[in-house]
Amino acid sequence: MSENLHHHNHDNHHEKPHIHSHRALIGFDKHGIPTIVAKADHQDELENDPKAFIRDYMNAVAEYKKTFPSKQDVIDQTPDPAVREMLLRAEQLGIDTTFDRFDKQKPQCNFGLAGICCKICNMGPCRITAKSPKGVCGADADLIVARNLLRAAAAGVAQHGMHAREIILSLKWAAEGKLDIPIMGEQKIIATAKSFGILTENRTVKEIAVDLANVLLADLSRTEPEEYQTITACAPPERQKVWKNLDILPISAYHEVFEAYHKTGCAIDGDWKSIMQQFLRCGLAFTFSGVVGANIATDSLFGVGDRVTSKVNIGALKKGYVNIAVHGHLPTLVSQIVKTGQEEKFINLAKSKGAKGIRFYGICCSGLAAMYRYGGVIPLSNAVSAELVLGTGALDLWVADVQDVFPSIMEVAKCFKTTVVTTSDSARLPNAERYEYDHYHSNISETKALAEKIVIRAIESFAQRKGIPVYIPPYEVEAEVGFSVEYVHKRFGSMQPLAEAIQTGKILGIVNMVGCNNPKVLYEKAILDVADVLLKNNVLILSNGCASFPLMKLGYCNISALDKTGESLRDFLTPDLPPVWHVGECIDNTRSSGIFAGIAGVLGKNLYEMPFAFSSPEWGNEKGIDAALGFRLMGINSYHCVEAQIYGSQNIIEFLKNGTRELLGSVMHVDTDPVALGNKIVDDMKAKRKALGWD
């Protein structure tokens, strides 16, 4: 790539690092995905005739849109029979789903897909065309695409950052006695505090926990530039040196979001290269506060959990019980709702209303965080198919906390008289009942009382819903969940056996497969198609978040899936390890990166040298941009089946996909064909192994 961030040190002054760029030529692969190529005979045309580039990217957008599946394609090809049955049932009942609405949005706006529609100020909206190559303010395609990309990344930092804020505050308040729940991860607190340089000797766990929480909160919210302690304590020294040289070390998560929206305002920062430098800072803030900080606090307060076996998929729903679904990302109130519903007092109350008992189900990350910590929380689906779960008519109460809760669930809930309650001032739904922490969390001490009210409301809803028709597709399977760095050490004694298996080739490499879902590709099939290629080629898969649901539902997290693997991976995993290790919710990407770092450390290698990869085949929301960027910043390539909205800028395409090879030691690869994407991951791993002398 022809762009770089350079840090120049001179005797008398320091220049800020900046990104250099030479104009590159855009080309398109067989799937209509833009790529940077180098054809000198066409270079002049792009330099002197912007219309040529506009023509090319419009053609590319048109080709890309042809790859988008229809609802009928999903019905015909989605791998989960329960999803297929519920889509047909929803159609019969006249219920709109994500897939119906996606079809109705076609054809999607070319300018939006290309990222060259700007509506930041009220002089617009502006769009880049051959007739108007600049917006009213003078912003060109490079600047508009960069600003849109940075704003999306900043939103992702804010979303995971709010998650982090609540759980870090919960840890602090539990230690101070303001929140009446037990601290379960004492060893995690002590070990982490030591790595942060926090005094632990002759101090109580609660005292240590307060100091740890304060450090995490400082990294989240400081305004004066100081050391970002989570990065210092948790990031590899080699990476810290890279980030310092690029001048992308963040001040705090809050500050970088603040600065991102400042820089991208109308008539503020007009240099796309500066905008992309802030993009990288947001990636670090997202990673080390929104993910690492949140993970530390969650494991400290609720414990790491352990490997457990869980029933999964819609068939695990049972009639005759008070059925409660927890949906979203925040564990504090959910933990108490589950605990309350398991108390004999409330089980007896449910039975007095004619129920067999109380059962809990998980949608999205609230369920994943709970399932390996508390018994009996059954994961059913990711966010995209939440409507289908509601369409069974089996749920009495739906607890919606924050993030990945589509407002459309309210219409389906109304059809089946399912009570929906919201639990956060940040995330309300029209006509939902509110049992919320207020804006100031002034009622955090009422957590147990809120949990009891919600469970009682579920029992009332069960009684009120008698006679509602229920249809549950008969598909369920067992999945092994709860893998972590701690579990690896417990199972193998250290990271050494895993490292040796990779070095000797028993395991070709490891992929962290995560992310949300997107109707731009065949629902859940893209994830499984990539997984099939990887497993056949002896690649071990780690998974968390929404992408993990099809892997759980279709048996990949069970030892029965060993027949999908190559011989050497199967030999390593036999007799009791599945080929996909489920590490938890989306913030548990920290567990995957911890496993990566542990293996690299044993082998004395840097992360960018190792046959590791990050893949979010179906990513769809703003957090997905940051999740991939977080691993890229660590030097690990990312692989996707969905394109970012960057078609309209050859410079941003070059920077985002290939340019970071020089900056960070990693690249981004997109292919709408999941099998081809899987093969690309395998080929790149083989190249890494060859460079290490392991082939």
Side-chain angles (χ1 to χ4, degrees), residues 235-245 605-609 633-635 663-665:
E238 177 269 336
R239 286 287 100 180
Q240 294 186 49
K241 183 178 180 181
V242 169
W243 302 331
K244 183 176 181 180
N245 288 339
K605 303 296 180 184
N606 294 308
L607 285 172
Y608 68 83
E609 299 175 280
L633 284 157
M634 301 298 289
L663 297 179
L664 303 171

Side-chain angles (χ1 to χ4, degrees), residues 50 54 127-135 138-142 144:
I54 293 170
R127 61 186 187 183
I128 299 302
T129 66
K131 176 184 175 182
S132 54
K134 292 186 178 181
D140 61 10
D142 292 335
I144 290 173

Side-chain angles (χ1 to χ4, degrees), residues 427-652:
R428 292 177 180 168
L429 293 167
N431 301 315
E433 299 179 18
R434 291 164 48 191
Y435 295 80
E436 299 171 351
Y437 291 134
D438 63 34
H439 184 70
Y440 305 97
H441 275 55
S442 65
N443 58 339
I444 192 72
S445 62
E446 300 170 22
T447 295
K448 288 187 176 180
L450 282 171
E452 290 186 0
K453 288 178 182 178
I454 289 170
V455 172
I456 290 170
R457 185 68 187 91
I459 295 169
E460 292 171 351
S461 182
F462 170 85
Q464 294 164 357
R465 294 181 66 253
K466 287 183 178 178
I468 294 293
V470 174
Y471 174 76
I472 301 173
Y475 303 103
E476 64 176 326
V477 68
E478 287 188 345
E480 299 288 328
V481 298
F483 289 81
S484 62
V485 172
E486 289 82 358
Y487 175 78
V488 172
H489 281 269
K490 175 182 174 181
R491 173 66 172 75
F492 295 106
S494 69
M495 287 288 176
Q496 186 74 38
L498 201 53
E500 289 177 357
I502 291 175
Q503 187 173 30
T504 60
K506 284 186 176 181
I507 299 174
L508 183 77
I510 305 179
V511 171
N512 187 42
M513 185 176 292
V514 304
C516 35
N517 303 92
N518 195 319
K520 287 180 179 177
V521 294
L522 283 163
Y523 178 60
E524 299 187 327
K525 187 174 188 297
I527 292 165
L528 298 189
D529 285 350
V530 175
D532 284 338
V533 174
L534 298 177
L535 295 180
K536 181 176 66 176
N537 284 278
N538 298 303
V539 175
L540 178 65
I541 298 174
L542 311 178
S543 189
N544 63 65
C546 283
S548 70
F549 277 94
L551 294 165
M552 287 191 291
K553 294 187 298 180
L554 277 298
Y556 288 70
C557 297
N558 191 292
I559 58 173
S560 63
L562 288 173
D563 61 5
K564 298 179 182 293
T565 71
E567 184 178 351
S568 63
L569 177 61
R570 184 164 56 249
D571 287 347
F572 176 79
L573 296 171
T574 301
D576 64 336
L577 292 171
V580 175
W581 293 2
H582 194 292
V583 299
E585 60 177 317
C586 51
I587 62 164
D588 290 327
N589 270 319
T590 303
R591 298 184 175 190
S592 298
S593 61
I595 291 171
F596 284 168
I599 294 168
V602 168
L603 296 171
K605 303 296 180 184
N606 294 308
L607 285 172
Y608 68 83
E609 299 175 280
M610 293 293 293
F612 297 150
F614 172 95
S615 181
S616 52
E618 300 187 17
W619 76 278
N621 62 27
E622 293 156 324
K623 294 177 293 181
I625 295 171
D626 295 285
L629 181 59
F631 279 82
R632 296 272 300 287
L633 284 157
M634 301 298 289
I636 296 170
N637 293 348
S638 71
Y639 300 83
H640 319 273
C641 294
V642 177
E643 181 61 88
Q645 293 170 1
I646 58 172
Y647 277 80
S649 168
Q650 54 191 349
N651 280 320
I652 303 305

Side-chain angles (χ1 to χ4, degrees), residues 92-225:
Q92 291 167 353
L93 296 173
I95 295 172
D96 242 11
T97 67
T98 300
F99 307 100
D100 294 296
R101 295 187 295 273
F102 184 73
D103 278 356
K104 290 173 185 175
Q105 286 293 329
K106 294 176 180 176
Q108 281 83 0
C109 171
N110 286 357
F111 298 98
L113 284 171
I116 50 170
C117 175
C118 182
K119 51 184 176 57
I120 286 172
C121 79
N122 205 39
M123 294 187 292
C126 299
R127 61 186 187 183
I128 299 302
T129 66
K131 176 184 175 182
S132 54
K134 292 186 178 181
V136 173
C137 73
D140 61 10
D142 292 335
L143 182 58
I144 290 173
V145 172
R147 291 196 304 201
N148 288 337
L149 192 62
L150 174 54
R151 286 198 165 202
V157 179
Q159 289 154 16
H160 259 5
M162 286 300 289
H163 177 174
R165 175 181 178 270
E166 172 147 322
I167 189 59
I168 297 168
L169 285 173
S170 293
L171 173 63
K172 180 178 180 179
W173 291 338
E176 292 175 338
K178 186 176 178 181
L179 172 62
D180 184 20
I181 62 176
I183 293 176
M184 304 301 294
E186 294 188 0
Q187 290 304 314
K188 182 77 173 185
I189 291 170
I190 293 169
T192 306
K194 288 179 178 177
S195 70
F196 276 77
I198 295 170
L199 182 66
T200 59
E201 290 188 14
N202 301 316
R203 304 184 71 205
T204 68
V205 169
K206 289 185 176 181
E207 289 172 336
I208 299 167
V210 170
D211 284 354
L212 177 59
N214 283 335
V215 169
L216 298 175
L217 288 170
D219 284 346
L220 186 70
S221 60
R222 77 169 56 83
T223 55
E224 292 187 279

